[in-house]
Amino acid sequence: MGGIRVVARIRPQQSSEFERDCIVSAGSPDGDSTSQQPSTVRIPSFKNEHEIYSFQFSSVYDQASTQQMIFDNEISPTIKHLFNGFDVTIFAYGVTGTGKTHTMRGGKSLAERGIIPRLLSSTYRRCRKIEKDSGGETSVGIALSYYEIYNDKVFDLLEAPEKRTLTGLQLRDNGGKTVVVGLTERPCESLKEFEKLYDQANLNRSTSATKLNAHSSRSHAILCFKVTMTTGDQVRVSTASAIDLAGSEDNRRTDNGKERMVESASINKSLFVLAKCVEAISQNQTRIPYRESKMTRILSLGQNNGLTVMILNLAPCRSYHLDTISSLNFANRTKKIEVREIENEPMAKGCSRPTPALTGSSVQRQPLRPLTTAVHNTAMGSHLASQKGDRPAKSFSVYSDKPRTSGVQTNATRETSKRSSPLKRPSDAGTSSFSRPAKRRSPDRTQRPSAAMSKAAIEDMIEKKVTDLLAARALDHTSAAPVPEISEEVSRRLELLEQKIDGQDDSREQGLTFLLMAKQHSVRGEDKSALRMFLLAKEYFPDNAKLEMKITKLQTKLKEKQIAVERNIDVNISSGNSGQAGGKVDKATASLPKEESGRGGRSVFDDDYRGPTNISEADCESDDSFRYRPKSKKAMKKPGASSIMHDELGDEPETPRTKQLLDIVNSQDIKRLRLLRGVGAKKAEAIIEALCGGDGGEGGCPVVVHSLAQLGHLRGVGAKTVENMRAGLEGLL
């Protein structure tokens, strides 16, 4: 049993750090002046700087230490154990920005190379030395695998990132070790081949910039290389693992964004589980939470049989004070973990068996497998020896034409064979007189047709069976009740009901459209147009009492307004204030009370009112004077009903496309109007208002458009709109 070797390394100060902020130092134990290599880390207390904490480890390297010094003193001695059959695990631990990746990977120059390149270089040199010393009898092969744990998902770094799956690779337990299913393992024959694969794989690793580190590792990277030594028929396999752990982060200092925060949470969680595992091992708890994180499951501190070296990376400056103390406490608990250093036993190289041919005289049958227990084999051999020369009794039944013996004799024979069988354990003397009761044989198995049946009896039996089957089928047909047919009247009613249900939604939508238009007219003060819209909506909601009440109120209101206008006109005419016959109605309405005028001084009455016969029709204002218009637009005068009825193009022939367009407009269907090109919801409503708000009145005829010129004179419709509407119908004809 041996413990985990913990080595502390203090990184050099950066250019942005000051020397006065350096609080971590390396030294020798108290009273030991002969020691050349420091083994103690000293750091002041966070609350009291005069109180100094001391942590003792296997070795401590200060800021002046080099990569070569750490490798020669700590990593190089483990190579000989690797070739002796021991597994080696090396991992770097520390806060972000303390130089873990630099320690493991290093730089491009020869002096800045890290532990991993130096370890592989020494391994290849030792492989060539062993092969040379053995005279070619021993061959050594190295296979490489490299993967990362990113957001608690395992990804292969030797494969392209495009081939990754969202769930990553899965972990499985195999012989007490954790293996990655589907991981790529590539053989490396030389150091150059390894460096090429290693550099390409590092490009696939997840790295990003934070406030504390410009090239921060966002995942745990695990490099494994397997050393296979073959000497004759013996094969010995050992594995070396170099792990570069991602550092814990304080998001208040790193200023991480959303994506970096997710990565930081995953890293901190795995390191927290690692601390829990170390704490549970140090307290000798029965349950170690290895499976709470994939990183701890792979690392398996205390369960791996081999040598383990932990490199603790520390930052010397004051800004890392609390993080450094936390890392030192973790390393102090880790060094107390005991690891079983067990050598991997060599395995015998299996010989391949010759494969026999499957055809011809050389086919060999496989021998029967021996029984599991030796007691059974001995009892069976003695039994066969005692009955040598006798024909063994059959332990199964054979159907034959000969009459069989009764079931009682068969049971007696079975009981005799049971008592005389040497394969059974003899029963006790007290229970030997009691025997198991014989099973009752079912009559259908014992009664079988004898061979003495005549041909006529067989034919009668077949005929009886056929008759029974036919009778059963007849009963089945009669029991099924016929399905009654649906009459034509019921079918017609069902079709009407389906049509009504299918068209219910469309009719309701049309009715709601008319109600919305009526409400808009009411808000504008256009009571006559609102009444027309309510009357159109009544067809879709015939039994709506509220709608009936609104229609009655509007009709009463319009009648009262008409009576009031007639009275005021009569008063003006009789008093001589009417002026000449061509005077406008607005002069008469000007004498009305102020509260009866609309918004902006406009009249609230509709245009369909007809004055006395002495007032000309041309002097009456149209319905457009009562409609709401923006102030920036100039009101256009609409032609009356009489002008629309008689303004036709006599010289231009009516084409089918023009006829179809006029039919759609005169139908006053808002859905069909909206299907025309250049006509939206508002323009369709304006066209219907123009057609419904003519001089027809309540008892007059509706407005009908007979030509394209008349259509272009409607409100909101111009010559260009008519051309677009007519061109849109070209594809329909």
Side-chain angles (χ1 to χ4, degrees), residues 270 273-274 277 289-290 292-300:
S270 59
V273 175
L274 178 61
C277 294
Y290 290 113
E292 293 185 6
S293 174
K294 291 186 178 179
M295 186 267 290
T296 55
R297 189 176 174 185
I298 292 173
L299 190 57
S300 299

Side-chain angles (χ1 to χ4, degrees), residues 343-615:
E343 179 183 353
N344 295 328
E345 296 294 335
M347 299 177 295
K349 190 175 181 181
C351 300
S352 59
R353 296 182 179 180
T355 305
L358 299 178
T359 57
S361 59
S362 62
V363 176
Q364 299 178 358
R365 298 186 62 180
Q366 295 290 334
L368 296 177
R369 291 180 298 174
L371 296 176
T372 55
T373 59
V375 177
H376 182 76
N377 295 339
T378 306
M380 181 60 71
S382 61
H383 176 61
L384 294 176
S386 62
Q387 294 185 355
K388 188 175 181 181
D390 299 335
R391 186 175 182 181
K394 295 179 180 179
S395 59
F396 53 89
S397 301
V398 178
Y399 294 111
S400 62
D401 296 336
K402 298 180 181 180
R404 298 185 61 186
T405 57
S406 62
V408 179
Q409 295 177 357
T410 305
N411 291 335
T413 307
R414 288 180 181 175
E415 292 176 4
T416 305
S417 62
K418 286 181 180 179
R419 286 195 298 268
S420 61
S421 175
L423 303 178
K424 298 292 183 179
R425 186 177 61 180
S427 60
D428 298 335
T431 59
S432 60
S433 59
F434 299 98
S435 60
R436 181 180 296 178
K439 295 182 180 179
R440 297 185 60 185
R441 188 175 297 276
S442 56
D444 56 343
R445 293 183 180 179
T446 56
Q447 295 178 1
R448 299 185 181 276
S450 60
M453 290 182 65
S454 61
K455 186 176 181 181
I458 295 175
E459 291 180 355
D460 293 340
M461 184 173 62
I462 294 174
E463 185 177 359
K464 183 179 179 181
K465 290 287 185 181
V466 172
T467 305
D468 294 341
L469 288 174
L470 293 176
R473 290 183 181 179
L475 290 175
D476 292 340
H477 285 296
T478 55
S479 61
V483 180
E485 297 182 357
I486 301 176
S487 61
E488 295 181 0
E489 184 178 359
V490 176
S491 301
R492 183 174 54 82
R493 290 183 179 179
L494 290 175
E495 291 178 359
L496 292 176
L497 183 60
E498 290 178 357
Q499 294 176 1
K500 185 176 180 181
I501 293 174
D502 294 339
Q504 186 175 4
D505 296 338
D506 297 337
S507 62
R508 181 176 176 82
E509 183 180 357
Q510 185 69 23
L512 292 175
T513 304
F514 286 127
L515 287 176
L516 179 61
M517 294 171 63
K519 186 175 181 181
Q520 293 175 352
H521 287 304
S522 299
V523 172
R524 297 171 186 172
E526 304 166 2
D527 296 335
K528 192 64 176 291
S529 300
L531 179 60
R532 288 194 182 94
M533 294 297 105
F534 278 131
L535 291 174
L536 291 174
K538 184 181 177 182
E539 298 178 2
Y540 300 97
F541 306 101
D543 299 331
N544 196 322
K546 191 174 181 180
L547 183 60
E548 292 283 352
M549 184 173 61
K550 288 185 178 181
I551 293 174
T552 305
K553 286 183 179 180
L554 281 175
Q555 289 176 349
T556 305
K557 185 177 179 181
L558 289 174
K559 288 180 180 179
E560 291 176 355
K561 289 181 181 180
Q562 185 175 357
I563 293 171
V565 171
E566 289 177 354
R567 288 177 181 176
N568 285 306
I569 292 175
D570 292 340
V571 170
N572 291 333
I573 292 175
S574 61
S575 60
N577 295 331
S578 59
Q580 55 182 355
K584 293 188 177 180
V585 181
D586 281 345
K587 297 179 180 179
T589 58
S591 61
L592 290 177
K594 188 175 182 180
E595 60 270 8
E596 294 184 3
S597 61
R599 291 173 295 183
R602 294 184 302 162
S603 175
V604 297
F605 305 123
D606 287 341
D607 63 309
D608 285 7
Y609 166 72
R610 296 289 183 182
T613 55
N614 57 350
I615 299 177

Side-chain angles (χ1 to χ4, degrees), residues 102-118:
H102 177 75
T103 301
M104 299 300 293
R105 189 194 304 179
K108 293 295 184 181
S109 63
L110 189 62
E112 293 296 327
R113 287 194 308 167
I115 290 176
I116 293 176
R118 294 175 187 271

